[in-house]
């Protein structure tokens, strides 16, 4: 869906390119998270996709179309855009803010009204309560939800998200992340998501692109990056607790021993993560947990040994 080939951007007065011959592809319906140290080129890369920043070299394809030959205004109206500062128009109601792009595209009033209500419901905000309010009447988390709804208004196939939850308190941020994952599971938009938070990248991304000095260092699934960092820089960047981070991606049901094992009085849901399971084993000083499905039926036993087996991976720096 999105293809970057040899993408390069230089800014005047800088010794090196902000983005240096970057090549990567984002599959349709996937979320690609761009992450790296400050100044690595992640935001510049994302902003070149909708030509908020013009590239100096290389190509950008969206759905097979080279966007460098498309009118920038037309392009931006076809791509959803969510930013950290939200950018709602303070003099407009919530409904009017969400309707911005459909109105520019010439949709009729009935279609716009229906779309606004549908999107408010999608982001868990009752249309009757929120449609006619103004941004100043909402909390930061609510305004961010409206920002997401506005980006989805014209049903764009591609969305760009620049630190969308970065200015929100940790509890609200976690809730918004979960809400967005729910929406994405249903809509399957193609998303480029910029963050500086590796935990957010692991949670939100189907694939993570780790950048350094404008160049791509590793591009893979969160689990693969945590299990097999491409080099020492990636290993350091993802953190010394990468084993625990990886456990948060693995579910208990997939690693439970189905042979019966020792029945434990302590239970855990099959959908819980191995990180949750490890925590429970340590807190309860237990040898194993009984894993149950949604109906409460036993599906197997999860022991500390099974968790060790799940995380035992060969170091990328050791010989084959």
């Amino acid at each position: 869906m999105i293809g970057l080939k040899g993408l390069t951007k230089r800014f005047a007065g800088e010794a090196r390119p902000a983005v240096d011959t970057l090549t990567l592809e984002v599959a349709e319906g996937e979320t690609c998270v761009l992450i790296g140290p400050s100044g690595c080129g992640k935001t510049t890369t994302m902003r070149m996709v909708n030509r908020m920043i013009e590239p100096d070299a290389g190509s950008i394809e969206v759905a097979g179309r080279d966007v460098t030959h498309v009118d920038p205004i037309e392009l931006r109206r076809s791509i959803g855009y969510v930013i950290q500062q939200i950018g709602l128009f303070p003099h407009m109601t919530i409904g009017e803010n969400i309707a911005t792009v459909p109105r520019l595209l010439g949709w009729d009033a009935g279609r716009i009204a229906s779309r606004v209500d549908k999107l408010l419901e999608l982001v868990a905000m009752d249309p009757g309560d929120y449609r006619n309010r103004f941004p100043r009447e909402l909390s930061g988390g609510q305004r961010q939800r409206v920002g997401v709804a506005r980006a989805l208004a014209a049903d764009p196939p591609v969305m760009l998200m620049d630190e969308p939850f970065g200015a929100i308190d940790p509890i609200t941020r976690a809730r918004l992340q979960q809400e967005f994952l729910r929406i994405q599971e249903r809509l399957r938009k193609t998303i480029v998501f910029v963050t500086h938070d590796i935990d957010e990248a692991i949670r939100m991304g189907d694939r993570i692109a780790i950048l350094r000095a404008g160049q791509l260092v590793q591009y893979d699934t969160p689990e693969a990056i945590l299990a097999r960092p491409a080099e020492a820089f990636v290993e350091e960047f993802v953190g010394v607790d990468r084993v625990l981070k990886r456990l948060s991606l693995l579910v208990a049901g997939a690693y439970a021993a189905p042979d019966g094992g020792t029945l434990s009085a302590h239970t855990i849901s099959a959908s819980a993560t191995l990180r949750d399971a490890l925590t429970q084993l340590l807190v309860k000083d237990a040898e194993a947990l009984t894993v149950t499905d949604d109906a409460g039926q036993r599906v197997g036993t999860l022991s500390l040994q099974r968790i060790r087996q799940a995380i035992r991976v060969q170091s990328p720096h050791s010989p084959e």
Side-chain angles (χ1 to χ4, degrees), residues 80-92:
Y81 191 36
V82 185
I83 59 175
Q84 180 176 334
Q85 295 82 9
I86 307 168
L88 299 181
F89 300 115
H91 60 287
M92 291 184 178

Side-chain angles (χ1 to χ4, degrees), residues 4-8 20-24 57-59:
L4 311 180
K5 297 179 183 178
L7 199 61
T8 300
D20 191 359
T21 59
L22 177 63
T23 296
L24 64 81
S59 65

Side-chain angles (χ1 to χ4, degrees), residues 54-272:
E54 294 289 352
D56 294 326
S59 65
I60 306 165
E61 289 191 356
V62 176
R65 184 173 63 164
D66 187 342
V67 301
T68 60
H69 302 306
V70 176
D71 176 72
I73 302 301
E74 176 194 343
L75 174 67
R76 290 168 201 151
R77 290 177 183 174
S78 69
I79 294 177
Y81 191 36
V82 185
I83 59 175
Q84 180 176 334
Q85 295 82 9
I86 307 168
L88 299 181
F89 300 115
H91 60 287
M92 291 184 178
T93 66
I94 299 309
E96 290 169 340
N97 265 280
I98 295 172
T100 300
V101 173
R103 190 170 55 250
L104 291 172
L105 294 175
W107 290 20
D108 64 68
R111 184 182 178 191
I112 289 175
S114 175
R115 183 64 175 165
V116 167
D117 286 357
K118 183 175 182 180
L119 286 168
L120 282 171
E121 291 171 354
L122 186 68
V123 298
M125 297 177 72
D126 182 75
D129 288 340
Y130 292 100
R131 186 193 309 111
N132 295 318
R133 293 193 191 184
F134 288 88
R136 64 179 178 274
E137 302 176 70
L138 306 184
S139 68
Q142 289 170 334
R143 288 195 297 271
Q144 196 65 61
R145 287 172 185 260
V146 175
V148 171
R150 185 174 65 178
L152 290 167
D155 198 20
V158 172
M159 291 184 65
L160 307 179
M161 307 187 73
D162 189 4
E163 302 269 10
F165 311 129
I168 299 172
D169 67 87
I171 294 176
T172 304
R173 182 175 187 169
R175 289 173 179 166
L176 286 175
Q177 289 170 344
Q178 188 59 42
E179 192 73 20
F180 187 78
L181 288 171
R182 177 189 64 81
I183 292 170
Q184 173 63 349
E185 184 176 358
R186 175 178 169 183
L187 301 182
R188 302 311 303 175
K189 300 294 183 181
T190 304
I191 299 171
V192 177
F193 189 112
V194 168
T195 184
H196 68 278
D197 185 332
I198 187 62
D199 291 313
E200 182 168 69
I202 290 166
R203 185 177 191 186
M204 304 300 291
D206 294 301
R207 290 168 70 85
I208 299 174
I210 298 182
L211 306 178
R212 178 181 56 189
Q215 296 182 330
L216 184 65
V217 180
Q218 187 168 0
Y219 185 41
D220 214 325
T221 64
E223 183 179 348
I225 286 175
L226 292 172
R228 297 176 295 280
E231 56 177 72
F233 165 77
V234 176
E235 190 169 0
E236 180 180 1
F237 186 78
V238 299
V240 294
D241 61 340
R242 66 185 178 91
V243 170
L244 290 177
K245 288 185 172 78
R246 183 167 179 256
L247 287 180
S248 69
L249 298 173
L250 309 177
V251 295
Y255 293 90
D259 56 0
T262 303
L263 187 64
S264 171
H266 305 296
T267 64
I268 192 165
S269 169
S271 61

Side-chain angles (χ1 to χ4, degrees), residues 2-54:
I2 301 175
L4 311 180
K5 297 179 183 178
L7 199 61
T8 300
K9 180 63 184 180
R10 290 181 177 272
F11 291 110
E14 297 294 330
R16 59 173 177 78
V19 178
D20 191 359
T21 59
L22 177 63
T23 296
L24 64 81
E25 292 189 359
V26 184
E28 184 175 0
E30 286 195 348
T31 299
C32 165
V33 176
L34 304 180
I35 191 170
S38 179
C40 70
K42 53 187 182 288
T43 296
T44 300
T45 297
M46 186 205 69
R47 286 167 64 86
M48 283 192 284
V49 174
N50 68 350
R51 293 178 60 194
M52 297 290 286
I53 295 175
E54 294 289 352

